[in-house]
Coordinates of all heavy atoms in Angstrom, one line a residue:
M1 N -7.6 3.3 33.7 CA -7.5 2.0 33.2 C -6.1 1.5 33.3 O -5.1 2.2 33.0 CB -8.0 2.0 31.8 CG -7.8 0.6 31.1 SD -8.1 0.6 29.3 CE -9.9 0.8 29.3
V2 N -5.9 0.3 33.7 CA -4.5 -0.3 33.9 C -4.4 -1.3 32.8 O -5.2 -2.2 32.6 CB -4.3 -0.9 35.2 CG1 -3.0 -1.6 35.3 CG2 -4.5 0.1 36.3
L3 N -3.3 -1.2 32.0 CA -3.0 -2.2 31.0 C -1.9 -3.1 31.4 O -0.9 -2.7 31.9 CB -2.7 -1.5 29.6 CG -3.8 -0.6 29.1 CD1 -3.2 0.2 27.9 CD2 -5.0 -1.3 28.8
K4 N -2.1 -4.4 31.2 CA -1.0 -5.4 31.5 C 0.0 -5.4 30.3 O -0.3 -5.1 29.2 CB -1.6 -6.8 31.6 CG -2.5 -6.9 32.8 CD -2.7 -8.4 33.0 CE -4.2 -8.7 32.9 NZ -4.4 -10.2 33.0
D5 N 1.2 -5.8 30.6 CA 2.2 -6.0 29.6 C 1.7 -7.1 28.7 O 1.1 -8.1 29.1 CB 3.6 -6.5 30.2 CG 4.3 -5.3 30.8 OD1 4.0 -4.2 30.5 OD2 5.1 -5.6 31.7
R6 N 1.9 -6.9 27.3 CA 1.5 -8.0 26.4 C 2.5 -9.1 26.5 O 3.7 -8.9 26.5 CB 1.5 -7.4 25.0 CG 0.4 -6.3 24.9 CD 0.4 -5.7 23.5 NE 0.0 -6.7 22.5 CZ 0.1 -6.5 21.3 NH1 0.4 -5.4 20.8 NH2 -0.2 -7.5 20.4
R7 N 2.0 -10.3 26.5 CA 2.8 -11.5 26.6 C 2.3 -12.5 25.5 O 1.2 -12.6 25.2 CB 2.7 -12.1 28.0 CG 3.2 -11.1 29.0 CD 3.9 -11.8 30.1 NE 4.5 -10.9 31.0 CZ 5.8 -10.7 31.0 NH1 6.6 -11.4 30.2 NH2 6.4 -9.8 31.9
F8 N 3.3 -13.3 25.1 CA 3.0 -14.4 24.2 C 3.4 -15.7 24.8 O 4.6 -16.0 24.9 CB 3.7 -14.2 22.8 CG 3.4 -15.2 21.8 CD1 2.1 -15.1 21.1 CD2 4.3 -16.2 21.4 CE1 1.8 -16.1 20.2 CE2 4.0 -17.1 20.5 CZ 2.7 -17.1 19.8
F9 N 2.5 -16.5 25.3 CA 2.8 -17.7 26.0 C 3.8 -17.5 27.1 O 4.8 -18.3 27.2 CB 3.3 -18.8 25.0 CG 2.2 -19.3 24.0 CD1 2.3 -18.9 22.7 CD2 1.2 -20.1 24.4 CE1 1.3 -19.3 21.8 CE2 0.2 -20.5 23.6 CZ 0.2 -20.1 22.2
G10 N 3.6 -16.5 27.9 CA 4.4 -16.2 29.0 C 5.7 -15.4 28.7 O 6.3 -14.8 29.6
A11 N 6.1 -15.2 27.5 CA 7.2 -14.4 27.1 C 6.8 -13.0 26.7 O 5.7 -12.8 26.2 CB 8.0 -15.0 25.9
P12 N 7.6 -12.0 27.0 CA 7.2 -10.7 26.6 C 7.0 -10.6 25.1 O 7.6 -11.3 24.3 CB 8.4 -9.8 27.0 CG 9.2 -10.6 28.0 CD 8.9 -12.1 27.6
A13 N 6.0 -9.8 24.7 CA 5.7 -9.6 23.3 C 6.9 -8.9 22.6 O 7.6 -8.1 23.2 CB 4.5 -8.7 23.1
E14 N 7.1 -9.3 21.3 CA 8.1 -8.6 20.5 C 7.6 -7.2 20.2 O 6.5 -7.0 19.9 CB 8.4 -9.4 19.2 CG 9.0 -10.7 19.5 CD 9.3 -11.5 18.2 OE1 9.3 -10.8 17.1 OE2 9.4 -12.7 18.2
H15 N 8.5 -6.3 20.1 CA 8.2 -4.9 19.8 C 8.8 -4.6 18.5 O 10.0 -4.8 18.2 CB 8.6 -3.9 20.9 CG 7.9 -4.1 22.2 ND1 6.6 -3.6 22.4 CD2 8.3 -4.7 23.3 CE1 6.2 -4.0 23.6 NE2 7.2 -4.6 24.2
R16 N 8.0 -4.0 17.6 CA 8.5 -3.6 16.3 C 9.1 -2.2 16.4 O 8.7 -1.4 17.2 CB 7.4 -3.5 15.3 CG 6.8 -4.9 15.0 CD 5.7 -4.7 13.9 NE 5.1 -6.0 13.7 CZ 4.3 -6.3 12.7 NH1 3.9 -5.3 11.9 NH2 3.8 -7.5 12.6
A17 N 10.1 -2.0 15.6 CA 10.7 -0.6 15.5 C 9.6 0.3 15.0 O 8.8 0.0 14.2 CB 11.9 -0.6 14.6
P18 N 9.6 1.6 15.5 CA 8.7 2.5 15.0 C 8.9 2.8 13.6 O 10.0 2.7 13.1 CB 8.9 3.8 15.9 CG 10.1 3.5 16.7 CD 10.5 2.1 16.5
R19 N 7.8 3.1 12.9 CA 7.8 3.4 11.4 C 8.4 4.8 11.2 O 8.2 5.7 12.1 CB 6.5 3.4 10.8 CG 5.9 2.0 10.7 CD 4.7 2.0 9.8 NE 3.4 1.9 10.6 CZ 2.3 1.6 10.1 NH1 2.1 1.4 8.8 NH2 1.2 1.5 10.8
S20 N 9.0 5.0 10.1 CA 9.5 6.3 9.7 C 8.3 7.2 9.5 O 7.2 6.7 9.2 CB 10.4 6.2 8.5 OG 9.6 5.9 7.4
P21 N 8.5 8.5 9.6 CA 7.4 9.4 9.3 C 6.8 9.2 7.9 O 5.6 9.3 7.8 CB 8.0 10.8 9.4 CG 9.2 10.6 10.4 CD 9.7 9.3 10.0
A22 N 7.6 8.9 6.9 CA 7.1 8.7 5.6 C 6.3 7.4 5.5 O 5.2 7.4 4.9 CB 8.2 8.6 4.6
A23 N 6.7 6.4 6.1 CA 6.0 5.1 6.2 C 4.7 5.3 6.9 O 3.6 4.7 6.5 CB 6.8 4.0 6.8
E24 N 4.7 6.0 8.0 CA 3.4 6.3 8.7 C 2.4 7.1 7.9 O 1.3 6.7 7.9 CB 3.8 7.1 10.0 CG 2.6 7.3 10.9 CD 2.0 5.9 11.5 OE1 2.8 5.0 11.7 OE2 0.8 5.9 11.6
L25 N 2.9 8.1 7.1 CA 2.0 8.9 6.3 C 1.5 8.0 5.2 O 0.3 8.1 4.8 CB 2.8 10.1 5.7 CG 2.0 11.2 5.1 CD1 0.9 11.7 6.1 CD2 2.9 12.3 4.6
E26 N 2.3 7.1 4.6 CA 1.8 6.2 3.5 C 0.7 5.3 4.1 O -0.3 5.1 3.4 CB 3.0 5.3 3.1 CG 4.0 6.1 2.2 CD 5.3 5.2 2.0 OE1 5.3 4.0 2.4 OE2 6.2 5.7 1.3
A27 N 0.9 4.8 5.3 CA -0.1 3.9 5.9 C -1.4 4.6 6.1 O -2.5 4.1 5.9 CB 0.5 3.3 7.2
Q28 N -1.3 5.9 6.6 CA -2.5 6.7 6.9 C -3.3 6.9 5.6 O -4.5 6.8 5.6 CB -2.1 8.0 7.6 CG -1.7 7.8 9.0 CD -1.2 9.1 9.7 OE1 -1.5 10.2 9.1 NE2 -0.6 9.0 10.8
V29 N -2.6 7.3 4.5 CA -3.2 7.6 3.3 C -3.8 6.3 2.7 O -5.0 6.3 2.2 CB -2.3 8.2 2.2 CG1 -2.9 8.3 0.9 CG2 -1.9 9.6 2.7
A30 N -3.1 5.2 2.8 CA -3.6 3.9 2.3 C -4.9 3.5 3.0 O -5.8 3.0 2.4 CB -2.5 2.8 2.4
C31 N -4.9 3.7 4.3 CA -6.1 3.4 5.1 C -7.2 4.3 4.8 O -8.4 3.8 4.7 CB -5.8 3.5 6.6 SG -4.8 2.1 7.3
A32 N -7.0 5.6 4.5 CA -8.0 6.5 4.2 C -8.7 6.1 2.8 O -9.9 6.1 2.7 CB -7.5 7.9 4.1
L33 N -7.8 5.7 1.9 CA -8.3 5.2 0.6 C -9.1 3.9 0.8 O -10.2 3.8 0.2 CB -7.2 5.0 -0.4 CG -6.4 6.2 -0.9 CD1 -5.2 5.8 -1.6 CD2 -7.3 7.0 -1.8
A34 N -8.7 3.0 1.6 CA -9.4 1.7 1.8 C -10.7 1.9 2.5 O -11.7 1.2 2.2 CB -8.5 0.8 2.6
D35 N -10.8 2.9 3.4 CA -12.0 3.1 4.2 C -13.0 4.0 3.5 O -14.1 4.1 4.0 CB -11.6 3.8 5.5 CG -10.9 2.9 6.5 OD1 -10.9 1.7 6.2 OD2 -10.3 3.4 7.4
D36 N -12.7 4.6 2.3 CA -13.6 5.5 1.7 C -14.9 4.9 1.3 O -15.9 5.5 1.5 CB -12.9 6.2 0.5 CG -13.8 7.1 -0.2 OD1 -14.2 8.1 0.4 OD2 -14.2 6.9 -1.4
G37 N -14.9 3.8 0.7 CA -16.2 3.2 0.3 C -16.7 3.6 -1.1 O -17.6 2.9 -1.6
E38 N -16.2 4.7 -1.6 CA -16.7 5.1 -2.9 C -15.6 5.0 -4.0 O -15.9 5.3 -5.2 CB -17.1 6.6 -2.9 CG -18.4 6.8 -2.1 CD -18.9 8.2 -2.1 OE1 -18.7 8.9 -3.2 OE2 -19.4 8.7 -1.1
V39 N -14.5 4.5 -3.6 CA -13.4 4.3 -4.6 C -12.7 2.9 -4.4 O -12.6 2.5 -3.3 CB -12.3 5.4 -4.4 CG1 -11.6 5.4 -3.1 CG2 -11.3 5.4 -5.6
D40 N -12.4 2.3 -5.5 CA -11.7 1.0 -5.4 C -10.3 1.3 -5.6 O -9.8 1.4 -6.7 CB -12.3 0.0 -6.4 CG -11.5 -1.3 -6.4 OD1 -10.7 -1.5 -5.5 OD2 -11.8 -2.2 -7.3
A41 N -9.5 1.4 -4.5 CA -8.1 1.8 -4.6 C -7.3 0.5 -4.3 O -6.1 0.7 -3.9 CB -7.8 2.9 -3.6
S42 N -7.8 -0.6 -4.5 CA -7.0 -1.8 -4.2 C -5.8 -2.0 -5.1 O -4.8 -2.7 -4.7 CB -7.9 -3.1 -4.4 OG -8.4 -3.1 -5.7
D43 N -5.7 -1.3 -6.3 CA -4.5 -1.3 -7.1 C -3.8 0.0 -7.1 O -3.0 0.3 -8.0 CB -4.9 -1.7 -8.6 CG -5.4 -3.1 -8.7 OD1 -4.8 -4.0 -8.0 OD2 -6.3 -3.4 -9.5
V44 N -4.0 0.8 -6.1 CA -3.3 2.1 -6.0 C -2.2 1.9 -5.0 O -2.4 1.5 -3.8 CB -4.3 3.2 -5.5 CG1 -3.5 4.5 -5.3 CG2 -5.3 3.4 -6.6
A45 N -1.0 2.3 -5.4 CA 0.2 2.4 -4.5 C 0.4 3.8 -4.0 O 0.2 4.8 -4.7 CB 1.4 1.9 -5.2
V46 N 0.8 3.9 -2.7 CA 1.0 5.1 -2.0 C 2.5 5.2 -1.6 O 3.0 4.3 -0.9 CB 0.1 5.3 -0.8 CG1 0.3 6.6 -0.1 CG2 -1.4 5.1 -1.1
T47 N 3.1 6.3 -2.0 CA 4.5 6.5 -1.7 C 4.6 8.0 -1.1 O 4.1 8.9 -1.7 CB 5.4 6.4 -2.9 OG1 5.1 5.1 -3.5 CG2 6.9 6.4 -2.5
A48 N 5.4 8.1 -0.1 CA 5.6 9.4 0.5 C 7.1 9.8 0.5 O 8.0 9.0 0.6 CB 5.2 9.4 2.0
S49 N 7.3 11.1 0.2 CA 8.6 11.7 0.2 C 8.4 13.1 0.9 O 7.8 14.0 0.4 CB 9.1 11.9 -1.2 OG 10.4 12.6 -1.1
G50 N 8.8 13.1 2.2 CA 8.4 14.3 3.0 C 6.9 14.3 3.2 O 6.3 13.3 3.6
D51 N 6.3 15.5 2.8 CA 4.9 15.6 2.9 C 4.2 15.4 1.6 O 3.0 15.7 1.5 CB 4.5 16.9 3.6 CG 4.8 18.1 2.8 OD1 5.5 18.0 1.7 OD2 4.3 19.2 3.2
E52 N 5.0 15.0 0.6 CA 4.4 14.8 -0.8 C 4.0 13.3 -0.9 O 4.8 12.5 -0.7 CB 5.3 15.2 -1.9 CG 4.7 14.9 -3.3 CD 5.6 15.2 -4.4 OE1 6.7 14.5 -4.5 OE2 5.3 16.0 -5.2
I53 N 2.8 13.1 -1.3 CA 2.3 11.7 -1.6 C 2.2 11.5 -3.1 O 1.7 12.4 -3.8 CB 0.9 11.5 -1.0 CG1 1.0 11.6 0.6 CG2 0.3 10.2 -1.4 CD1 1.7 10.5 1.2
T54 N 2.7 10.4 -3.5 CA 2.6 10.0 -4.9 C 1.6 8.8 -5.0 O 1.8 7.8 -4.2 CB 3.9 9.6 -5.6 OG1 4.8 10.7 -5.5 CG2 3.7 9.1 -7.0
L55 N 0.6 8.9 -5.8 CA -0.4 7.9 -6.0 C -0.2 7.3 -7.4 O -0.2 8.0 -8.3 CB -1.8 8.4 -5.9 CG -2.2 9.1 -4.6 CD1 -3.6 9.7 -4.7 CD2 -2.1 8.1 -3.4
S56 N 0.0 6.0 -7.5 CA 0.2 5.3 -8.8 C -0.6 4.1 -8.8 O -1.1 3.6 -7.8 CB 1.7 5.1 -9.0 OG 2.2 4.2 -8.0
G57 N -0.8 3.5 -10.0 CA -1.6 2.3 -10.2 C -2.8 2.6 -11.0 O -2.8 3.5 -11.8
T58 N -3.8 1.8 -10.8 CA -5.0 1.9 -11.6 C -6.3 1.9 -10.8 O -6.3 1.3 -9.7 CB -5.1 0.8 -12.7 OG1 -5.1 -0.5 -12.0 CG2 -4.0 0.9 -13.7
V59 N -7.3 2.5 -11.3 CA -8.7 2.5 -10.7 C -9.6 2.0 -11.9 O -9.2 2.0 -13.0 CB -9.1 3.8 -10.1 CG1 -8.3 4.1 -8.9 CG2 -9.0 4.9 -11.1
T60 N -10.9 1.8 -11.6 CA -11.8 1.3 -12.6 C -12.6 2.4 -13.3 O -13.1 2.2 -14.4 CB -12.8 0.3 -12.0 OG1 -13.5 0.9 -10.9 CG2 -12.1 -1.0 -11.5
R61 N -12.7 3.6 -12.7 CA -13.5 4.7 -13.3 C -12.7 6.0 -13.2 O -12.0 6.2 -12.2 CB -14.8 4.9 -12.5 CG -15.7 3.7 -12.6 CD -17.0 3.9 -11.8 NE -16.6 3.9 -10.4 CZ -17.2 4.8 -9.5 NH1 -18.1 5.7 -9.9 NH2 -16.8 4.8 -8.3
T62 N -12.8 6.8 -14.2 CA -12.1 8.1 -14.3 C -12.4 8.9 -13.1 O -11.5 9.6 -12.6 CB -12.5 8.8 -15.6 OG1 -12.3 8.0 -16.7 CG2 -11.7 10.1 -15.7
E63 N -13.6 8.9 -12.6 CA -14.0 9.8 -11.4 C -13.2 9.4 -10.2 O -13.0 10.3 -9.3 CB -15.5 9.6 -11.1 CG -16.4 9.9 -12.3 CD -16.6 8.8 -13.3 OE1 -16.5 7.6 -12.9 OE2 -16.7 9.1 -14.4
E64 N -12.7 8.2 -10.1 CA -12.0 7.8 -8.9 C -10.6 8.4 -8.8 O -10.0 8.5 -7.7 CB -11.9 6.3 -8.9 CG -13.2 5.6 -8.7 CD -13.1 4.1 -8.7 OE1 -12.4 3.5 -9.6 OE2 -13.7 3.4 -7.9
I65 N -10.0 8.8 -9.9 CA -8.7 9.4 -10.0 C -8.6 10.7 -9.1 O -7.8 10.8 -8.2 CB -8.2 9.7 -11.4 CG1 -8.1 8.4 -12.2 CG2 -6.9 10.4 -11.4 CD1 -7.8 8.6 -13.7
G66 N -9.5 11.6 -9.4 CA -9.6 12.8 -8.6 C -10.0 12.6 -7.2 O -9.5 13.3 -6.2
R67 N -10.9 11.7 -6.9 CA -11.3 11.3 -5.6 C -10.1 10.9 -4.7 O -10.0 11.2 -3.6 CB -12.4 10.3 -5.6 CG -13.0 10.0 -4.2 CD -14.4 9.6 -4.2 NE -14.9 9.3 -2.9 CZ -15.3 10.2 -2.0 NH1 -15.4 11.5 -2.4 NH2 -15.8 9.9 -0.8
C68 N -9.3 10.0 -5.3 CA -8.1 9.6 -4.6 C -7.2 10.7 -4.1 O -6.7 10.7 -3.0 CB -7.3 8.6 -5.4 SG -8.0 7.0 -5.7
S69 N -7.0 11.7 -5.0 CA -6.2 12.9 -4.6 C -6.9 13.6 -3.4 O -6.2 14.0 -2.5 CB -6.1 13.8 -5.8 OG -5.2 13.3 -6.7
R70 N -8.2 13.8 -3.5 CA -8.9 14.6 -2.5 C -8.9 13.8 -1.2 O -8.7 14.5 -0.1 CB -10.4 14.8 -2.9 CG -10.5 15.8 -4.1 CD -11.9 16.2 -4.4 NE -12.7 15.1 -4.8 CZ -12.8 14.7 -6.0 NH1 -12.1 15.2 -7.0 NH2 -13.7 13.7 -6.3
I71 N -9.0 12.5 -1.2 CA -8.9 11.7 0.0 C -7.5 11.9 0.7 O -7.4 12.1 1.9 CB -9.2 10.2 -0.3 CG1 -10.7 10.1 -0.6 CG2 -8.8 9.4 0.9 CD1 -11.0 8.7 -1.2
A72 N -6.5 11.8 -0.2 CA -5.1 11.9 0.4 C -4.8 13.2 1.0 O -4.2 13.4 2.0 CB -4.1 11.6 -0.8
L73 N -5.3 14.3 0.3 CA -5.1 15.7 0.8 C -5.8 15.9 2.2 O -5.4 16.8 2.9 CB -5.6 16.7 -0.2 CG -4.6 16.9 -1.4 CD1 -5.3 17.7 -2.5 CD2 -3.4 17.6 -0.9
R74 N -6.8 15.1 2.5 CA -7.5 15.3 3.8 C -6.7 14.7 5.0 O -7.0 14.9 6.1 CB -8.9 14.7 3.7 CG -9.9 15.5 2.9 CD -11.3 15.0 3.2 NE -11.5 13.6 3.0 CZ -12.2 13.1 2.0 NH1 -12.8 13.8 1.1 NH2 -12.4 11.8 2.0
V75 N -5.7 13.9 4.7 CA -4.9 13.2 5.7 C -4.0 14.2 6.3 O -3.2 14.9 5.6 CB -4.2 12.0 5.2 CG1 -3.3 11.4 6.2 CG2 -5.2 10.9 4.7
D76 N -4.0 14.3 7.7 CA -3.1 15.2 8.4 C -1.6 14.9 8.0 O -1.2 13.8 8.0 CB -3.2 15.1 9.9 CG -4.5 15.8 10.4 OD1 -5.0 16.6 9.7 OD2 -4.9 15.4 11.5
G77 N -0.9 16.0 7.6 CA 0.5 15.8 7.3 C 0.8 15.8 5.8 O 2.0 15.9 5.4
V78 N -0.2 15.6 5.0 CA 0.0 15.6 3.5 C 0.0 17.0 3.1 O -1.0 17.8 3.3 CB -1.1 14.8 2.8 CG1 -1.0 14.9 1.3 CG2 -1.1 13.3 3.3
G79 N 1.1 17.4 2.4 CA 1.2 18.8 1.8 C 0.8 18.9 0.4 O 0.2 19.8 0.0
S80 N 1.1 17.8 -0.4 CA 0.7 17.8 -1.8 C 0.6 16.4 -2.3 O 1.1 15.5 -1.7 CB 1.8 18.6 -2.6 OG 3.0 17.9 -2.5
V81 N -0.1 16.2 -3.4 CA -0.3 14.9 -4.0 C 0.1 15.0 -5.5 O -0.3 15.8 -6.2 CB -1.8 14.5 -3.9 CG1 -2.0 13.2 -4.6 CG2 -2.2 14.4 -2.4
R82 N 0.9 14.0 -5.8 CA 1.3 13.8 -7.3 C 0.5 12.5 -7.7 O 0.7 11.5 -7.2 CB 2.8 13.6 -7.4 CG 3.2 13.3 -8.8 CD 4.8 13.2 -8.8 NE 5.2 12.8 -10.1 CZ 5.6 11.6 -10.4 NH1 5.7 10.7 -9.5 NH2 5.9 11.3 -11.6
N83 N -0.4 12.7 -8.6 CA -1.3 11.6 -8.9 C -1.0 11.1 -10.3 O -1.2 11.9 -11.3 CB -2.8 12.1 -8.9 CG -3.8 11.0 -9.0 OD1 -3.5 10.0 -9.7 ND2 -5.0 11.2 -8.4
V84 N -0.5 9.9 -10.4 CA -0.2 9.3 -11.7 C -1.1 8.0 -11.9 O -0.6 7.1 -12.6 CB 1.3 9.0 -11.9 CG1 2.1 10.3 -12.0 CG2 1.8 8.2 -10.8
I85 N -2.3 8.0 -11.3 CA -3.2 6.9 -11.5 C -3.8 6.9 -12.9 O -4.1 7.9 -13.4 CB -4.3 7.0 -10.4 CG1 -3.7 6.9 -9.0 CG2 -5.4 5.9 -10.6 CD1 -4.8 7.2 -7.9
G86 N -3.9 5.7 -13.4 CA -4.6 5.5 -14.7 C -5.9 4.7 -14.5 O -6.1 4.2 -13.4
V87 N -6.7 4.6 -15.5 CA -7.9 3.9 -15.5 C -7.6 2.5 -16.1 O -7.0 2.3 -17.2 CB -9.0 4.5 -16.3 CG1 -10.3 3.6 -16.4 CG2 -9.3 5.9 -15.8
W88 N -7.9 1.4 -15.3 CA -7.6 0.1 -15.7 C -8.3 -0.2 -17.1 O -9.4 0.1 -17.3 CB -8.2 -0.9 -14.7 CG -7.8 -2.3 -14.9 CD1 -6.7 -2.9 -14.5 CD2 -8.6 -3.3 -15.7 NE1 -6.6 -4.2 -15.0 CE2 -7.8 -4.5 -15.7 CE3 -9.8 -3.3 -16.3 CZ2 -8.2 -5.6 -16.3 CZ3 -10.2 -4.4 -17.0 CH2 -9.4 -5.6 -17.0
G89 N -7.5 -0.8 -18.0 CA -8.0 -1.2 -19.3 C -7.9 -0.1 -20.3 O -8.1 -0.4 -21.5
S90 N -7.6 1.2 -19.9 CA -7.5 2.2 -20.9 C -6.0 2.2 -21.5 O -5.1 1.8 -20.8 CB -7.8 3.6 -20.3 OG -6.9 4.0 -19.4
K91 N -5.9 2.7 -22.6 CA -4.5 2.8 -23.2 C -3.9 4.1 -22.8 O -4.5 5.1 -23.0 CB -4.6 2.7 -24.8 CG -5.2 1.3 -25.2 CD -5.1 1.2 -26.7 CE -5.9 0.0 -27.1 NZ -5.3 -1.1 -27.6
M92 N -2.7 4.0 -22.3 CA -2.0 5.2 -21.8 C -0.9 5.6 -22.8 O -0.4 4.9 -23.5 CB -1.4 5.0 -20.5 CG -2.5 4.7 -19.4 SD -1.7 4.6 -17.8 CE -3.1 4.1 -16.9

């Protein structure tokens, strides 16, 4: 297959700088959470430091907290997960 250069109205497409490894890992974990279908992770923030992922924010059910950790651990490159997710509406 031959791919043409991407162009925008005749001009070469702008190229973004490659993401850092931490930013790439954050994006992969966030996508895995979004694609899961059994957890509402719309209020979960993902932060990477090396191969450690920190999950913070809130979910709607207690069961989703552990599920978020398990999902993150399945992503290639994740070594450990620090989970500080709470349940929305509960008093912490």
Side-chain angles (χ1 to χ4, degrees):
M1 173 186 292
V2 176
L3 300 176
K4 295 193 240 175
D5 287 337
R6 294 178 64 186
R7 300 215 170 255
F8 184 75
F9 294 106
E14 292 181 20
H15 294 281
R16 294 182 182 189
R19 291 193 252 199
S20 70
E24 186 63 36
L25 195 55
E26 289 170 1
Q28 289 176 10
V29 171
C31 284
L33 290 169
D35 290 344
D36 179 63
E38 290 185 35
V39 65
D40 178 5
S42 57
D43 290 326
V44 174
V46 178
T47 308
S49 178
D51 68 349
E52 180 185 60
I53 294 293
T54 299
L55 302 174
S56 59
T58 58
V59 291
T60 56
R61 295 177 296 138
T62 304
E63 303 81 34
E64 294 176 318
I65 296 172
R67 182 154 181 83
C68 287
S69 289
R70 292 189 298 276
I71 292 167
L73 282 169
R74 287 196 307 249
V75 174
D76 286 340
V78 174
S80 63
V81 174
R82 180 174 171 257
N83 189 331
V84 292
I85 296 173
V87 177
W88 186 86
S90 69
K91 298 186 191 248
M92 295 183 187

